[in-house]
Amino acid sequence: GDSVTQMEGPVTLSEEAFLTINCTYTATGYPSLFWYVQYPGEGLQLLLKATKADDKGSNKGFEATYRKETTSFHLEKGSVQVSDSAVYFCALPDSWGKLQFGAGTQVVVTP
Amino acid sequence: NAGVTQTPKFRILKIGQSMTLQCAQDMNHNYMYWYRQDPGMGLKLIYYSVGAGITDKGEVPNGYNVSRSTTEDFPLRLELAAPSQTSVYFCASSYSSGRQGSQETQYFGPGTRLLVL
């Protein structure tokens, strides 16, 4: 079945460091791919998405490219801020729209 | 638009008690979902609905029930609370124009934190 695997955390970085969170997927067909972010004490919110191969989603300085050849959707940000401290989830919908989430990666950014 | 709203924000239940977690959305979304998130874990789907009057089980439905009498509301019922149901519960909604599945963004509520003692 469809599934998502993302790197485990926590990932601890200093402010202005480069962030990469790896995400790979298995799926039948070519579903949309999502990154959701969960700030402390809040619900999930969409960070970015890509709907087809080679699409690049971007938002708030974060980027992720839908790579069909490597079945990956890695999240990157060139210079993180303390306010980026959160848990990040990679996700893809199955053919019935049910989201398959990765386990989540906690990111901690220190001043 | 208020988006997806959930009540209550926090609740403590005794073992064996019942309660209903409320969820409402004002975006005219046809799909709605209930997830639970255990500490340090990802989200697991409890139940979902593709439209009023239609519901189906997700990955972890045992101990829960749902109904969808209107497009806007999707309450989750716990009949006999157990400590294993201590978790944070998230409701979400999305829209699909197709007959099968929704590849669109899911919008999440702020969550209900439930503690069963």
Side-chain angles (χ1 to χ4, degrees):
Chain A
D2 297 354
S3 65
V4 172
T5 303
Q6 66 180 101
M7 63 186 285
E8 293 186 15
V11 175
T12 303
L13 303 164
S14 297
E15 211 165 19
E16 299 184 2
F18 183 85
L19 170 67
T20 298
I21 303 176
N22 290 340
C23 171
T24 57
Y25 67 90
T26 58
T28 53
Y30 303 103
S32 298
L33 297 173
F34 299 85
W35 276 101
Y36 284 84
V37 59
Q38 185 178 30
Y39 298 105
E42 298 184 11
L44 277 72
Q45 56 185 273
L46 178 71
L47 180 60
L48 55 84
K49 71 176 187 179
T51 58
K52 60 183 186 295
D54 299 325
D55 260 4
K56 177 183 285 188
S58 61
N59 186 26
K60 298 182 180 180
F62 289 88
E63 291 184 341
T65 301
Y66 191 152
R67 301 282 189 200
K68 184 178 64 173
E69 62 277 10
T70 54
T71 61
S72 65
F73 193 53
H74 305 323
L75 182 69
E76 298 181 334
K77 185 172 185 180
S79 177
V80 294
Q81 306 299 313
V82 172
S83 57
D84 294 323
S85 297
V87 181
Y88 294 81
F89 294 92
C90 186
L92 67 87
D94 65 16
S95 58
W96 293 100
K98 294 178 288 182
L99 274 178
Q100 305 295 320
F101 286 95
T105 301
Q106 184 179 10
V107 173
V108 178
V109 181
T110 58
Chain B
N1 286 352
V4 180
T5 57
Q6 292 184 238
T7 56
K9 290 184 179 179
F10 175 68
R11 181 77 181 269
I12 299 175
L13 282 182
K14 295 182 179 178
I15 294 172
Q17 286 187 319
S18 300
M19 78 164 292
T20 299
L21 283 66
Q22 301 292 344
C23 173
Q25 53 90 11
D26 61 359
M27 298 175 282
N28 201 31
H29 286 170
N30 47 357
Y31 282 62
M32 294 188 76
Y33 313 82
W34 273 106
Y35 297 92
R36 60 177 287 172
Q37 184 180 33
D38 298 326
M41 305 290 285
L43 279 74
K44 295 184 178 180
L45 182 65
I46 304 171
Y47 270 96
Y48 69 105
S49 169
V50 302
I54 306 170
T55 63
D56 206 349
K57 297 177 180 178
E59 183 183 359
V60 290
N62 291 343
Y64 307 94
N65 276 300
V66 293
S67 59
R68 184 97 181 271
S69 57
T70 66
T71 299
E72 295 78 17
D73 300 299
F74 191 41
L76 178 71
R77 179 81 177 163
L78 282 71
E79 291 294 347
L80 293 170
S84 60
Q85 293 177 305
T86 293
S87 191
V88 181
Y89 292 84
F90 291 101
C91 180
S93 71
S94 67
Y95 177 77
S96 174
S97 59
R99 291 196 299 174
Q100 181 172 334
S102 172
Q103 299 287 310
E104 300 303 319
T105 302
Q106 289 190 16
Y107 294 84
F108 285 79
T112 294
R113 187 174 298 272
L114 178 65
L115 180 60
V116 182
L117 300 174

